[in-house]
Amino acid sequence: MNRKKIAVLVGDGMADYPVESLGNRTPLEAASTPNMDYLASNGVLGMARTVPRGMAPGSDTANISIFGYNPAENYTGRAPLEALNMGIEMGPGDVAFRCNLVTIDGEEAMADFSAHHIETEFARVVIDEFRREIAGAGIEFYPGVSYRHLMMWRDYPHGELPETTPPHDIQGEKVGQYMPRGTGSDLLRDIMERSRAVIADSAVIRGARSKYRGKPVSAWLWGAGRRPSLSPLAEKYGLYGFTISAVDLIHGIGRAVGLEPLRVEGSTGYIDTNYAGKADALLYAMQSANFVFLHVESPDESGHEGSLEHKIKAIEDFDAMVVGRVLNGLKRYDDYVILVMPDHPTPLSIRTHTADPVPFCIYGNNGFAGGAYNRRGISGFNEREASMTGIFVEEGHRLLEIILSERF
Ligand SMILES: [Zn+2]
């Protein structure tokens, strides 16, 4: 068992490009983040590549890196990880798909990849109708949180998987050209068309519509994959512990590497999430664990919305209520390390993920405390200063190894 207590704090999509209205500063530079700035100026600040060259910059790929695994070797798709977390068994022949509920407008454009943050209760009504009207013959639907659901295709009859497009990458674009293509895509396109008819025609869905703000128009299938196999963190590094997140994906990766999911009341994946509750859950969990991976989705959602105001608020709340609180709480241990970073940038200007390297900060009370890697003159946690330290971790999945060995 490893004695070091390791807290990984991920602000999803926090990194960004310089924004003109911020005087060409990034949101991380402009936001008031005294806690992350403290960690950066008293620990190790650098840049890391979490999305290997040539791979798509999904939260799945990037977070697998932060968990300490090379996505290029271990990635089988987002949906299977979420399935794992939802407790859905997957056989070797099964393929899982992410089933978003999305809003497509009258011009056939992707108006909102989240069906306007559809409420979980409303989404369940819709998924239940899919179960009644569309499921069967090896096709199953599983409701998740808000717009994020799953479709399982049992005993997928082909070798290759269909080509699909993440809906958050085509906001505002005509959807026709992005429908599933290639092997197995006929059935997927058919299911997506039928989902539109079910949503339009179902009396139950019509009845529910007036009670909620969500605007579902269609199912959007993507992120196909077979079940993953990753070696447990306990075997690899002697780490055991928990994941804290509003999104199934993070718990799914956690489960795949032997971590337990911790559910925190009021964690929504949006800017109103229960930040302090997550920090407190981490501190509680740390009493019986040596590794906790805490993930906050809201900066990423703000990036997808293109809302500067929300993104700054999400970053400031993450700093004050997660980073600050965790730092204070961990001070009671004689050997602890905090890793703070985004998984990938979600720049406001393009409203989707990029594969650019991200800033990271390692702060601890042993090898990294005021040690050889501490650079003088660092004033904050942001892309610009992190690039200037000259510390660059090309393989982001090595960060955990670096933390454990206390050297680069
Ligand atoms: Zn992400």
Side-chain angles (χ1 to χ4, degrees), residues 15 21 38 57 81 84 88 94 103 133 149 169 186 198 212 226 230 294 301 325 354 360 396 400 404 406:
S21 67
Y38 174 84
L81 295 171
L84 195 67
I88 306 165
D94 302 339
T103 308
E133 304 289 337
H149 311 282
D169 281 355
D186 290 357
V198 169
Y212 299 100
R226 300 175 191 276
L230 298 166
L294 187 161
E301 292 289 343
R325 223 170 161 94
T354 73
F360 72 87
L400 200 49
L404 288 161
E406 297 187 350

Side-chain angles (χ1 to χ4, degrees), residues 160-179:
E160 269 181 56
L161 299 180
E163 288 170 48
T164 58
T165 306
H168 52 260
D169 281 355
I170 54 169
Q171 289 262 86
E173 293 191 57
K174 295 259 196 276
V175 297
Q177 56 188 320
Y178 296 111
M179 295 296 277

Side-chain angles (χ1 to χ4, degrees), residues 34 64 83 85 134 145 152 170 196 200 202-203 207 220 229 231 233 240 255 262 323 330 345-346 365 385:
I64 285 173
N85 180 57
I134 304 173
V145 175
M152 191 68 74
I170 54 169
R196 292 183 74 155
S202 156
W220 190 270
S229 65
S231 61
L233 273 178
Y240 55 92
R255 276 247 169 96
L262 261 189
V323 181
L330 288 184
T346 308
N365 60 350
E385 294 193 59

Side-chain angles (χ1 to χ4, degrees), residues 10-14 57-60 62-63 78 249-250 295-297 300 304 342-346 353:
V10 174
D12 201 302
M14 281 195 300
S59 287
D60 40 15
N63 279 291
R78 166 185 298 236
L249 168 70
I250 298 298
H295 167 269
V296 169
E297 176 84 341
D300 177 65
H304 288 304
D343 47 352
H344 51 71
T346 308
H353 307 168

Side-chain angles (χ1 to χ4, degrees), residues 23-100:
N24 280 324
R25 290 175 302 164
T26 66
L28 271 176
E29 281 183 288
S32 166
T33 56
N35 296 296
M36 290 194 282
D37 296 347
Y38 174 84
L39 299 188
S41 52
N42 293 283
V44 185
L45 179 67
M47 295 291 283
R49 187 183 300 286
T50 51
V51 179
R53 291 178 191 279
M55 288 192 81
S59 287
D60 40 15
T61 314
N63 279 291
I64 285 173
S65 286
I66 304 177
F67 276 95
Y69 297 80
N70 183 355
E73 290 166 10
N74 295 290
Y75 181 62
T76 63
R78 166 185 298 236
L81 295 171
E82 295 185 344
L84 195 67
N85 180 57
M86 291 160 80
I88 306 165
E89 294 279 327
M90 279 188 82
D94 302 339
V95 174
F97 294 81
R98 175 66 171 272
C99 174
N100 272 47

